[in-house]
Amino acid sequence: MTGGGLLVAGTTSDAGKSVVTAGICRWLVRQGVKVAPFKAQNMSLNSFVTKEGAEIGRAQAMQAQACRIEPSALMNPVLLKPGGERSSQVVLLGRPVGEMSARGYHGGRQQRLLGTVVDCLAELRGTYDAVICEGAGSPAEINLRRTDIVNMGLARSARLPVLVVGDIDRGGVFASFFGTVALLSPEDQELVAGFLVNKFRGDVSLLEPGLDMLRRLTGRRTYGVLPFRHGLGIDEEDGLRVSLRGTVRESNVSPPVGEDVLRVAVCAIPLMSNFTDVDALAAEPGVVVRFVDRPEELADADLVVVPGTRGTVRALEWLRERGLADALARRAAEGRPVLGICGGFQILGEHIEDDVESRRGRVDGLGLLPVRVRFAPEKTLTRPAGEALGERVEGYEIHHGVATVTGGEPFLDGCRAGSVWGTHWHGSLESDGFRRAFLREVAAAAGRRFVPAPDTSFAALREEQLDRLGDLIEQHADTDALWRLVESGAPPGLPFVPPGAPA
């Protein structure tokens, strides 16, 4: 028997598809439904490694957590990792299969992957009671419809009902809903069941006349109006969508336990990947995390993090061009804490030999750690575990660079030299005991009277966040109607909204 399904599409990128999908998943699992997430094709520099060693988007890993199941490659069969403005690494079923330009991908490769995508979805639907699928961008991107495998192309192939999410906080939500339907072909429109308003502020009764008019215009109902709530985003897919200058990672509102706060500056390097590593720091009471791109912004930082990147050599050059490389060297000489993670770890080393990613050959690093890096064609995808600072640590690795450590003190798989730490392990700061021990070291080196909270559980905070998403769906959406969509598909006889897709 095949389980039910639903495709959550959006009027735009960042309309809230990932959050709504996670919310529906958490609501369903609380009703005793065996549910799984799915995204056919994801473009993201934030990724995760499953237990079987497959790389998938972090959003799908979080949605799997919302379903209370282990993530797998089936949930995100195609992952695109941008390496520049016009090319991406293609990860198929968790493994990289090469670099491809956008023109080459949309020119034929993407359509050939539709069979793989549909097979993965069918396998999930054969295992679970329901599969909640997430679209990408907008289903009305008419220039890409012919090769689409993630929005209406997937919906048509798998006969999925489609729920369109719109972010009313941006404005223009009614035009976006109407235009999305009106730019689809009659066959695609048959599957668009209705709408969900996201991020509404104010009195819902003032919105209702517009929703009534929208229903008369399109013949489709609105399945819910979700109120605006701070702090409900799950791991971003496409990077930070705002200017990084002065951007503060949303932090725990609890006051610090000690007398001081701890200030963390994250270098906003090009092609920054897995910047979600610092979420666990921001979850600590009294830790303030911000992204920076100027050397003077490091002056008052107690810890500077150089995060992962899909362009290590490019990021290294950027740090030098901006004067941040010199600022990092001064910090190290003064004994002020610096942490490099993955690509950031590689940047802090002595030199990099890269004939894979940038193809620039040998490039001098910042020389702050006794490490030499050689890029290998094969990507390392593992879930390591170990000990550091007397605490158990778990993480995950996603990198082409192979590091040879020639000195310093061991630190996870990397090393420490004075106040400079480096590791390939993403996610290590989510280990509560280790994070607290690390922050104590940072505070001591920075001369801050900061004390980590003794009881912060990052996993528990994640669970609370997912439950809040489930609450949003349960309290503000027509859940009976949503379940009918999942179980039975789009209502029959939905009217055509002209003009439809251009020929």
Side-chain angles (χ1 to χ4, degrees):
M1 181 178 176
T2 300
L6 174 69
L7 176 67
V8 179
T11 56
T12 61
S13 295
D14 207 30
K17 297 183 293 291
S18 296
V19 167
V20 169
T21 300
I24 294 174
C25 286
R26 177 48 61 101
W27 162 67
L28 283 172
V29 81
R30 293 195 310 206
Q31 309 310 307
V33 177
K34 190 180 177 186
V35 59
F38 181 79
K39 185 160 185 173
Q41 172 194 296
N42 193 347
M43 177 172 280
S44 178
L45 286 172
N46 284 334
S47 57
F48 182 75
V49 179
T50 67
K51 280 191 173 179
E52 66 267 27
E55 185 180 9
I56 65 172
R58 282 225 27 135
Q60 279 60 66
M62 282 291 293
Q63 289 162 357
Q65 186 177 344
C67 298
R68 297 177 179 149
I69 58 175
E70 275 292 326
S72 81
L74 292 174
M75 298 170 187
N76 180 206
V78 182
L79 173 63
L80 305 178
K81 303 194 72 175
E85 292 297 323
R86 296 186 179 182
S87 67
S88 294
Q89 182 181 66
V90 180
V91 180
L92 179 61
L93 292 174
R95 297 290 174 183
V97 293
E99 297 278 335
M100 187 166 288
S101 69
R103 179 177 292 274
Y105 184 69
H106 289 288
R109 176 65 183 271
Q110 183 183 34
Q111 183 64 23
R112 291 195 296 273
L113 294 173
L114 180 60
T116 300
V117 162
V118 171
D119 288 346
C120 289
L121 177 57
E123 186 170 342
L124 288 174
R125 293 179 77 180
T127 305
Y128 293 89
D129 302 328
V131 179
I132 308 302
C133 308
E134 179 187 342
S138 161
E141 290 167 347
I142 54 180
N143 56 315
L144 303 176
R145 175 61 185 91
R146 182 177 61 84
T147 58
D148 171 53
I149 65 172
V150 65
N151 291 308
M152 300 313 300
L154 177 68
R156 285 268 294 277
S157 296
R159 302 306 299 172
L160 294 170
V162 179
L163 180 70
V164 181
V165 177
D167 179 355
I168 198 170
D169 201 45
R170 293 182 171 193
V173 75
F174 291 115
S176 298
F177 281 146
F178 181 86
T180 296
V181 178
L183 281 176
L184 299 178
S185 68
E187 295 81 5
D188 286 352
Q189 287 193 24
E190 287 177 4
L191 296 171
V192 178
F195 314 107
L196 187 77
V197 177
N198 192 28
K199 298 184 184 178
F200 180 71
R201 304 171 191 251
D203 185 346
V204 175
S205 66
L206 299 177
L207 189 66
E208 287 170 352
L211 300 179
D212 291 340
M213 284 186 274
L214 182 67
R215 184 163 191 168
R216 290 197 297 272
L217 285 166
T218 66
R220 289 157 175 86
R221 60 165 297 178
T222 298
Y223 285 79
V225 178
L226 307 185
F228 185 93
R229 293 285 188 269
H230 286 286
L232 285 184
I234 63 172
D235 295 357
E236 284 93 338
E237 293 195 344
D238 304 322
L240 294 175
R241 296 186 174 279
V242 293
S243 170
L244 288 163
R245 178 159 313 176
T247 298
V248 176
R249 200 75 176 148
E250 188 154 354
S251 301
N252 195 308
V253 295
S254 301
V257 175
E259 297 179 44
D260 287 342
V261 297
L262 207 63
R263 296 173 177 84
V264 179
V266 184
C267 295
I269 55 181
L271 297 175
M272 184 167 52
S273 61
N274 284 63
F275 53 82
T276 47
D277 282 329
V278 300
D279 284 354
L281 295 178
E284 283 286 345
V287 176
V288 179
V289 178
R290 69 183 188 271
F291 292 87
V292 303
D293 60 4
R294 297 183 301 192
E296 55 268 29
E297 293 175 301
L298 303 189
D300 67 344
D302 303 306
L303 169 66
V304 175
V305 178
V306 187
T309 173
R310 252 279 284 156
T312 303
V313 170
R314 177 177 165 187
L316 180 57
E317 292 172 341
W318 181 88
L319 288 168
R320 288 186 166 124
E321 290 165 3
R322 293 280 180 138
L324 285 159
D326 290 339
L328 288 168
R330 286 194 297 271
R331 285 187 67 89
E334 294 165 1
R336 303 176 67 200
V338 177
L339 171 65
I341 303 174
C342 200
F345 168 43
Q346 298 165 8
I347 285 168
L348 298 178
E350 295 169 357
H351 68 253
I352 298 166
E353 293 182 19
D354 182 11
D355 295 318
V356 176
E357 193 174 77
S358 69
R359 295 183 171 84
R360 295 282 297 277
R362 180 171 168 139
V363 178
D364 287 337
L366 299 187
L368 305 184
L369 287 175
V371 175
R372 298 166 187 169
V373 176
R374 175 185 56 82
F375 273 65
E378 302 79 22
K379 182 183 279 191
T380 297
L381 296 167
T382 63
R383 291 269 292 269
E387 274 198 13
L389 305 181
E391 298 286 348
R392 176 78 174 169
V393 191
E394 294 182 358
Y396 57 98
E397 295 187 48
I398 306 169
H399 54 91
H400 284 280
V402 178
T404 301
V405 177
T406 60
E409 303 171 37
F411 178 69
L412 303 179
D413 72 334
C415 66
R416 173 185 181 178
S419 62
V420 182
W421 292 265
T423 177
H424 272 135
W425 291 22
H426 293 292
S428 61
L429 294 167
E430 295 179 19
S431 298
D432 298 326
F434 166 71
R435 182 180 65 254
R436 287 192 278 269
F438 177 70
L439 289 177
R440 282 192 290 269
E441 294 253 351
V442 168
R448 293 284 183 188
R449 289 171 294 183
F450 169 84
V451 179
D455 55 356
T456 301
S457 167
F458 187 71
L461 290 172
R462 285 290 204 200
E463 278 296 302
E464 289 173 15
Q465 186 183 41
L466 292 170
D467 275 331
R468 290 172 67 200
L469 293 178
D471 292 343
L472 265 190
I473 297 298
E474 187 170 341
Q475 296 166 11
H476 300 282
D478 186 338
T479 52
D480 289 340
L482 281 178
W483 177 246
R484 285 195 295 272
L485 285 183
V486 172
E487 197 173 35
S488 305
L494 293 169
F496 172 69
V497 179

